[in-house]
């Protein structure tokens, strides 16, 4: 069988499942959705579901990974103003606030945060390694990458719970200053 055809079929099935979940979440809330609801909506079997995802939590995280897994650009991180991708992430978080607050009420938020942090940190680390060589006096790239994504996640949660009157652009500017300072110090950038 042709690999490209198989890959397209896998992508199509995963997309069907992700779309079914997101439609159902919009209709009745995250915690009310069961796997049976998802497979009924996507019109696939339970075996097909488990061939692609281990759980509803993994499916949900996979449906959202594109939000955080943007390319890590050292130029963007060191820029005085937040890049459009960072601003977009904060705007997306604001639009998703009801869902994020619902998730925070249950146990799945820990899984979601851990899954996202690991996937995005891996992407950030790869992007860092493709940009510059890791030196002994740098904070190790894997630690820096994990810190950046975990600090951004914590910052977003704090904002959505406590400082909602602050607009996304102002919040993105504040976070940009924080991450720029972290990266400059971690990589010994003085200019």
């Amino acid at each position: 069988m042709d690999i490209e055809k198989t890959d397209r079929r896998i992508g199509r099935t995963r997309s069907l499942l992700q779309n079914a979940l997101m439609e159902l979440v919009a209709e009745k809330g995250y915690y009310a959705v069961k796997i049976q609801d998802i497979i009924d909506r996507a019109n696939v079997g339970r075996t097909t579901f488990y061939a692609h995802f281990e759980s509803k939590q993994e499916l949900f995280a996979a449906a959202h990974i594109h939000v955080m897994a943007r390319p890590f650009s050292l130029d963007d991180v060191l820029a005085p103003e937040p890049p459009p991708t960072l601003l977009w992430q904060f705007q997306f978080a604001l639009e998703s606030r009801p869902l994020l607050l619902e998730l925070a009420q249950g146990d799945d938020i820990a899984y979601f945060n851990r899954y996202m942090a690991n996937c995005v940190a891996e992407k950030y680390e790869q992007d860092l390694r493709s940009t510059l060589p890791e030196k002994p006096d740098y904070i190790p790239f894997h630690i820096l990458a994990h810190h950046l994504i975990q600090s951004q996640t914590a910052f977003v949660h704090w904002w959505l719970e406590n400082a909602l009157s602050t607009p996304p652009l102002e919040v993105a500017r504040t976070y940009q200053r924080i991450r720029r300072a972290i990266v400059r110090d971690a990589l010994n950038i003085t200019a």
Side-chain angles (χ1 to χ4, degrees):
M1 175 166 287
D2 187 289
I3 291 175
E4 185 178 321
K5 187 180 270 186
T6 303
D7 288 348
R8 279 187 300 192
R9 200 173 326 149
I10 289 169
R12 192 169 41 248
T13 302
R14 290 176 68 88
S15 182
L16 275 172
L17 291 166
Q18 290 171 359
N19 291 339
L21 173 62
M22 297 317 296
E23 289 170 6
L24 289 162
V25 166
E27 291 170 16
K28 55 189 194 175
Y30 175 82
Y31 287 106
V33 176
K34 306 295 181 224
I35 290 177
Q36 188 63 49
D37 300 327
I38 299 165
I39 61 177
D40 288 347
R41 177 68 61 96
N43 196 26
V44 300
R46 188 170 288 275
T47 303
T48 299
F49 178 91
Y50 286 110
H52 294 275
F53 299 100
E54 291 182 17
S55 63
K56 178 179 85 169
Q57 296 90 340
E58 183 183 4
L59 171 60
F60 184 83
H64 286 85
I65 197 71
H66 69 281
V67 174
M68 294 298 292
R70 301 294 179 162
F72 180 91
S73 161
L74 199 54
D75 289 338
D76 284 350
V77 172
L78 296 176
E81 286 293 315
T85 55
L86 184 64
L87 178 57
W88 182 84
Q89 288 173 337
F90 281 97
Q91 289 170 328
F92 182 85
L94 182 60
E95 292 167 10
S96 303
R97 182 176 186 264
L99 175 58
L100 294 173
L101 293 178
E102 178 194 359
L103 278 173
Q105 300 301 312
D107 296 334
D108 288 0
I109 193 70
Y111 174 91
F112 182 65
N113 285 341
R114 187 174 53 254
Y115 181 96
M116 295 294 282
N118 288 335
C119 290
V120 176
E122 185 178 304
K123 173 79 173 96
Y124 282 6
E125 182 181 355
Q126 289 171 356
D127 290 349
L128 269 169
R129 289 185 190 290
S130 71
T131 303
L132 66 158
E134 189 169 7
K135 295 182 180 176
D137 61 333
Y138 289 173
I139 299 293
F141 287 172
H142 69 281
I143 294 173
L144 177 59
H146 275 276
H147 178 77
L148 288 171
I149 188 57
Q150 290 173 353
S151 70
Q152 183 175 347
T153 300
F155 192 81
V156 166
H157 285 281
W158 170 84
W159 172 51
L160 294 178
E161 291 176 354
N162 300 295
L164 195 55
S165 63
T166 308
L169 179 58
E170 189 176 330
V171 174
R173 281 181 172 150
T174 300
Y175 183 71
Q176 176 71 3
R177 289 182 63 200
I178 292 167
R179 77 176 183 167
R180 187 175 61 228
I182 291 167
V183 170
R184 279 185 172 165
D185 190 60
L187 302 179
N188 294 322
I189 297 171
T190 56

